Amino acid sequence: MGQTLCICSRGSITIDNKRYYFIQKLDEGGFSYVDLVEGVQDGRFYALKRILCHDREGRQEAQTEVEMHRLFSHPNILGLAGHTFIERGGKSEAWILLPYVQKGSLWSVLEKLRDKGSFMPERRILKVLQGICSGLKAMHDRGYAHRDLKPTNVLLEEDDRPLLMDLGSMNRSRMEVKGTREAMTVQDWAAQRCTISYRAPELFNVESHCVIDDRTDIWSLGCVLYSMMFLEGPYDMVFQKGDSVALAVQNPVTIPQPCSYSESLQNLLSSIMVSNPQERPDVNWILDQIQDMTCSSPNTQTNMV
Ligand SMILES: Nc1ncnc2c1ncn2[C@@H]1O[C@H](COP(=O)(O)OP(=O)(O)OP(=O)(O)O)[C@@H](O)[C@H]1O
């Protein structure tokens, strides 16, 4: 993969000897530009993510993102279709070719619901949550954490199957911090790579002797669940008003009332969004809860929004 690339005058590119036509711009992330391209041979659509690497470290990070995609072959983790690095004027660009998911991100689905004055039914929330947890479980079981889980980093297939994407912040889940300097390094890294309003409390003020693990993803998962229930992230307003998210995450999450979702879903949210990572559940426990809520309780079925 990633051996050849040329940019031809008619708006086509070649990656791994396969040609793709540029169709249109799709989106812009914090670190990248994403374009829609079409495979000339297979007629399929792909999202081409272009990351400008400012230095050797940036190139290494993009390489890690590629490797993370390759590491997993899972129905809830976005696969990789190809990649290459191009060098231009002394700078390097990583081009990551991904299968295109037309429905877009979970966030765009939530925005549409909000614009229509609608909501996400509980059954649908549980289905999407279950898929997200399955993807996370695959990562956590192999000793990795996503570190930047949020509704814009979850794509939804037509049948609502979620796909975890943007694996650029992923790293080994267990980070042992020994001393103030290491704590500052982790904290600075988190400030750059983990979106503030979905960032786990322990990453705001990293203690000088501690272990950071995959429970940072569980916190973000709670924020994603909250977003599906209330169509905005729990700390979006705090951030927008310029208040301190670092302070806000120290308090128990407030569930807006009246709330039309079941007690069990509200309880699940409260048990996930626990400030102390030692008291936060792991992904297996959450999967069990979802399983119980979807299958075993006929009441939950009938009372569901
Ligand atoms: N495969 C895809 N199919 C459809 N849309 C996509 C795809 N990949 C990316 N996008 C769109 O592009 C946006 C940005 O992608 P991505 O999150 O990977 O970039 P990023 O620079 O890492 O962003 P950020 O750091 O801000 O989260 C996504 O939120 C999504 O809307």
Side-chain angles (χ1 to χ4, degrees), residues 181-194 203 206:
R181 189 179 294 191
E182 281 185 23
M184 281 316 293
T185 306
V186 173
Q187 198 170 301
D188 290 348
W189 169 83
Q192 276 191 26
R193 306 298 306 199
C194 314
L203 291 174
V206 178

Side-chain angles (χ1 to χ4, degrees), residues 154-165:
V154 177
L155 294 169
L156 280 190
E157 287 282 12
E158 285 312 311
D159 62 355
D160 267 353
R161 175 166 58 95
L163 290 163
L164 303 184
M165 59 166 286

Side-chain angles (χ1 to χ4, degrees), residues 95-197:
W95 291 34
I96 302 182
L97 193 68
L98 305 157
Y100 172 58
V101 180
Q102 193 180 3
K103 194 151 138 186
S105 70
L106 171 60
W107 184 249
S108 64
V109 169
L110 298 179
E111 273 185 322
K112 279 181 200 138
L113 289 171
R114 202 175 52 205
D115 292 348
K116 284 195 294 187
S118 190
F119 65 93
M120 204 180 238
E122 186 156 329
R123 247 185 231 107
R124 190 176 180 197
I125 291 181
L126 287 174
K127 184 183 174 211
V128 175
L129 189 68
Q130 189 167 37
I132 296 174
C133 286
S134 300
L136 275 187
K137 178 174 162 54
M139 292 175 178
H140 293 181
D141 282 353
R142 292 190 72 165
Y144 287 92
H146 184 286
R147 307 282 191 217
D148 198 22
L149 180 64
K150 57 183 177 177
T152 47
N153 282 343
V154 177
L155 294 169
L156 280 190
E157 287 282 12
E158 285 312 311
D159 62 355
D160 267 353
R161 175 166 58 95
L163 290 163
L164 303 184
M165 59 166 286
D166 191 1
L167 311 186
S169 301
M170 265 182 90
N171 57 15
R172 299 298 299 178
S173 54
R174 194 184 148 83
M175 292 196 265
E176 201 173 337
V177 178
K178 291 182 244 129
T180 320
R181 189 179 294 191
E182 281 185 23
M184 281 316 293
T185 306
V186 173
Q187 198 170 301
D188 290 348
W189 169 83
Q192 276 191 26
R193 306 298 306 199
C194 314
T195 304
I196 187 164
S197 44

